[in-house]
Amino acid sequence: MEMDKLVSLCKRRGFLFQSSEIYGGLNGFWDYGPLGVELKRNLKEAWWRDMVKAHDDLHAPAGAPRPYEMVGLDCSIIMHPQVWKCSGHYDLFHDFMVDCRESKKRYRHDQVNGRWVEAKGKRVFAAVQEGGEEGEKLAEQRALKFFNLRAKNADELKWDGPLVSLTTVQDFARVLGPDAKELGTLTPPREFNLMFKTYVGALSGEEGAAFLRPETAQGIFVNFKNVCDSGRVRIPFGIAQIGKSFRNEITPRNFTFRSREFEQMEIEFFCHPDESVAWYRYWRDRRFRWYTDLGLAGERLRLREHHADELSHYSRGTADIEYAFPFLPPGDFGELEGIAHRGDFDLRSHMEGKLVKQGDALVVEQGPDGKPKHRGSGKDLRYFDDVKKERYLPHVIEPSAGADRGTLAFLCEAYREDTAPDENGKPTERVYLKLHPRLAPIKAAVFPLVNKDGMPDVAQRLYLELKRDFNVFYDDGGAVGRRYRRQDEAGTPYCLTIDGQTLQDQTVTIRDRDTLQQRRLPLNGVAEELRKLLR
Ligand code: ATP
């Protein structure tokens, strides 16, 4: 599947628009159109339903060490600035950037690639933003241009090694920046904090400074005690939250994959330290299955367990659920969700203050005055088990997913082209979105075959009946074949057509988007059948 085709379908059919498009757009921000908002909402609702609302507190699901409870939370986007100091985001949540003095563009240091090449007695690092074959091709074009060579003289370029990251390069004077004409225009890498800063109230100085949350997780940690004290939850239990997060990404790209404003679906699962590894395994497998159940299956989806040297200092295990997005070079995968065993790091940080590693232990980081660098809340966040009479700091398993990346992956996976007969039986090209019925923006479309003989009346009655429970769409415009194709492109799994026979025997045809098969159903059984099909 070529990404361009999906991007153009998304715009044409109203899934996704560039934010503020009439003013030229704003890089890293996206708007969901009428179909896109339904798709993303269905994804979030499927997650909320499967993880929280329909969760059975009484029985252990397959693979879980024991039954557990799940509750939800909806926290504010702007929180007390101390939250980010203790969580580590204030000091550590940064990427390295390089600026180009010539083109005025900014790049993420680790996202610039390039190849060493020599010609006419000069050795340069030809940098590009792409990877893989595409990156190599562009590096060649850049080198040809720089050395003033024609494509037919490409063999004058002496390449030294494959495409490598700019992070391997020391001598920036020899770097030809991705958009520069001269050598040595890139600045040395500098730290750049990814949190968006804002000011609360009328104070404009540092006193009023606050941040838009870069993740929803911290709202859950700082409410852990509130939830324990107010509810009937007992460990093990999970708290789920869906909400917007903001990261001032240096180079947002790849459609919605890396945006500056996005939505997360996060669970913090609190358990006894002795059982935490078993719970980590449970959540890793459970979350992977969630994607495959909704149709992201096969070679394009994988579960990747991190190696020991990739783990953060507090983690006893982390796995990523990754998808081979079509915009990535072959063999590359992009993260949809991370599942991390976080130990007691977060609750301890909010209790004692920002932690750092010292040997094998985590200790409160000291400032130059010997006092905690970032002081915690001082509140006792330990859990009291009144059966075992034990007080302890629970361990946390965190499955953290992105709703926008998920939506994008399901769209990529769903995009299909085939040939199908049109209304005259002539094979024609067809584009359709093979979305799982739970995710499809429109569940069924209702058509009167023709706008006469009482067919519109029957069709409208059916439409109104179904509308009570499902997002259905009424369409009486144009040839029925064309109406089917419009629904195929929107990913609508079923089309219901009222025809001449309906008026005689009270049956309608139901057409399946994927198989194109049609069968007849009694008119009064349509709602029940749809309910069954959409489950
Ligand atoms: P990456 O390495 O791709 O920047 P991350 O490891 O920083 O991602 P996490 O902090 O683990 O991501 O965030 C959890 C999830 O939030 C990610 O798996 C992803 O689905 C989503 N997410 C993170 N950053 C972005 C972004 N800039 N745009 C869209 N979704 C994002």
Side-chain angles (χ1 to χ4, degrees):
M1 198 266 288
E2 292 147 43
M3 202 56 203
D4 291 352
K5 290 187 178 171
L6 180 69
V7 173
S8 105
L9 179 126
C10 283
K11 164 108 209 258
R12 182 159 40 87
R13 293 310 313 269
F15 279 95
L16 274 159
F17 307 125
Q18 218 186 343
S19 162
S20 327
E21 194 183 281
I22 59 167
Y23 288 104
L26 186 62
N27 201 7
F29 298 90
W30 296 90
D31 296 338
Y32 287 79
L35 287 178
V37 68
E38 295 293 337
L39 173 62
K40 184 172 162 191
R41 186 170 293 218
N42 289 341
L43 184 83
K44 290 186 287 180
E45 278 174 7
W47 185 89
W48 191 262
R49 187 184 179 281
D50 296 345
M51 298 301 119
V52 187
K53 241 165 60 182
H55 171 71
D56 168 6
D57 287 354
L58 306 179
H59 304 94
R66 59 175 74 238
Y68 62 91
E69 294 171 58
M70 287 296 298
V71 294
L73 208 58
D74 184 11
C75 307
S76 65
I77 285 170
I78 295 177
M79 302 172 67
H80 195 291
Q82 197 65 12
V83 169
W84 308 110
K85 292 188 172 157
C86 290
S87 69
H89 286 85
Y90 185 80
D91 290 346
L92 303 169
F93 193 55
H94 51 234
D95 281 332
F96 284 89
M97 62 179 179
V98 291
D99 286 312
C100 179
R101 292 185 203 97
E102 183 190 313
S103 68
K104 307 288 175 230
K105 291 211 172 157
R106 176 165 283 182
Y107 312 95
R108 216 170 99 175
H109 186 212
D110 61 344
Q111 283 178 353
V112 178
N113 299 310
R115 271 186 95 179
W116 284 105
V117 59
E118 203 175 318
K120 301 183 174 175
K122 227 184 201 164
R123 184 174 140 83
V124 307
F125 184 78
V128 292
Q129 281 189 273
E130 290 70 14
E133 267 173 44
E134 175 77 6
E136 288 189 1
K137 212 160 60 195
L138 284 171
E140 180 177 270
Q141 285 169 12
R142 309 235 48 240
L144 286 171
K145 201 155 179 202
F146 177 77
F147 288 111
N148 216 350
L149 291 169
R150 289 166 186 273
K152 64 174 190 206
N153 302 117
D155 53 4
E156 286 186 35
L157 297 172
K158 299 277 171 291
W159 295 100
D160 177 9
L163 202 70
V164 290
S165 167
L166 181 65
T167 53
T168 62
V169 175
Q170 304 295 328
D171 186 1
F172 270 44
R174 292 188 177 280
V175 174
L176 174 65
D179 299 281
K181 292 195 187 83
E182 308 274 320
L183 283 188
T185 61
L186 295 187
T187 61
R190 276 181 297 162
E191 278 180 10
F192 176 77
N193 195 297
L194 300 182
M195 286 197 293
F196 276 100
K197 198 171 187 180
T198 187
Y199 296 91
V200 173
L203 299 169
S204 62
E206 279 310 294
E207 278 166 272
F211 301 95
L212 305 192
R213 67 180 175 200
E215 59 171 38
T216 61
Q218 298 304 323
I220 301 181
F221 295 125
V222 301
N223 275 296
F224 171 72
K225 196 169 151 48
N226 280 338
V227 173
C228 285
D229 292 350
S230 62
R232 17 131 238 154
V233 285
R234 306 170 65 87
I235 276 181
F237 72 89
I239 305 180
Q241 170 162 232
I242 298 180
K244 290 255 181 175
S245 292
F246 301 81
R247 296 182 188 179
N248 201 359
E249 300 278 358
I250 297 169
T251 45
R253 57 182 180 172
N254 291 334
F255 213 11
T256 56
F257 180 83
R258 188 168 302 288
S259 316
R260 289 178 166 141
E261 173 176 342
F262 54 96
E263 246 174 317
Q264 290 186 307
M265 311 187 289
E266 296 195 293
I267 296 172
E268 303 305 327
F269 186 80
F270 301 92
C271 59
H272 193 281
D274 294 348
E275 279 186 344
S276 61
V277 171
W279 282 114
Y280 163 69
R281 294 204 185 105
Y282 163 73
W283 277 108
R284 180 194 62 191
D285 299 345
R286 169 94 202 266
R287 290 301 307 147
F288 186 73
R289 230 175 27 247
W290 188 77
Y291 291 95
T292 59
D293 285 351
L294 283 173
L296 274 198
E299 287 161 20
R300 303 187 74 84
L301 186 75
R302 74 173 184 195
L303 182 72
R304 188 178 68 86
E305 193 86 40
H306 285 205
H307 300 295
D309 55 357
E310 271 182 281
L311 296 178
S312 12
H313 50 273
Y314 46 79
S315 185
R316 308 249 299 273
T318 297
D320 287 342
I321 298 171
E322 301 179 327
Y323 185 72
F325 285 97
F327 46 74
L328 298 173
D332 276 13
F333 286 72
E335 177 184 323
L336 291 182
E337 169 161 354
I339 300 101
H341 182 310
R342 298 183 60 89
D344 62 5
F345 178 81
D346 307 277
L347 289 178
R348 249 191 88 192
S349 307
H350 288 302
M351 205 161 114
E352 300 171 7
K354 188 192 162 215
L355 301 173
V356 283
K357 196 168 179 196
Q358 201 170 78
D360 279 341
L362 285 167
V363 297
V364 176
E365 187 176 352
Q366 311 274 299
D369 55 2
K371 294 191 180 142
K373 183 171 178 208
H374 298 305
R375 196 179 289 281
S377 67
K379 299 278 182 299
D380 187 355
L381 301 181
R382 287 175 304 165
Y383 173 80
F384 183 65
D385 182 333
D386 51 14
V387 178
K388 290 195 192 146
K389 305 284 176 237
E390 182 188 1
R391 196 179 288 281
Y392 62 92
L393 213 48
H395 277 196
V396 169
I397 312 301
E398 176 188 81
S400 167
D404 307 86
R405 284 193 190 170
T407 303
L408 185 58
F410 281 105
L411 272 171
C412 292
E413 185 78 10
Y415 186 94
R416 305 288 156 102
E417 290 173 356
D418 68 0
T419 320
D422 65 9
E423 59 265 41
N424 305 316
K426 197 172 132 231
T428 45
E429 232 178 65
R430 174 174 86 124
V431 171
Y432 68 109
L433 290 183
K434 196 175 175 191
L435 289 167
H436 191 288
R438 283 182 77 189
L439 299 182
I442 300 168
K443 304 305 180 191
V446 182
F447 307 150
L449 183 63
V450 288
N451 280 316
K452 55 182 184 187
D453 302 333
M455 289 182 210
D457 289 345
V458 181
Q460 285 177 23
R461 270 203 305 276
L462 178 64
Y463 163 78
L464 286 175
E465 182 202 338
L466 297 176
K467 193 82 188 165
R468 276 184 283 183
D469 295 317
F470 313 103
N471 191 19
V472 289
F473 185 78
Y474 185 82
D475 190 2
D476 61 4
V480 76
R482 215 154 330 123
R483 284 181 257 166
Y484 282 143
R485 295 297 167 97
R486 282 202 290 265
Q487 293 306 315
D488 289 341
E489 269 196 346
T492 308
Y494 307 105
C495 290
L496 301 154
T497 306
I498 310 298
D499 55 15
Q501 200 178 322
T502 313
L503 307 174
Q504 290 161 15
D505 66 2
Q506 302 294 305
T507 62
V508 295
T509 63
I510 180 165
R511 169 197 183 261
D512 183 294
R513 174 197 64 204
D514 304 337
T515 64
L516 299 175
Q517 269 167 2
Q518 301 195 17
R519 60 197 165 97
R520 295 200 81 88
L521 285 177
L523 197 50
N524 61 10
V526 173
E528 194 43 44
E529 179 67 13
L530 259 190
R531 199 160 289 122
K532 229 163 59 194
L533 290 168
L534 296 174
R535 206 164 279 152

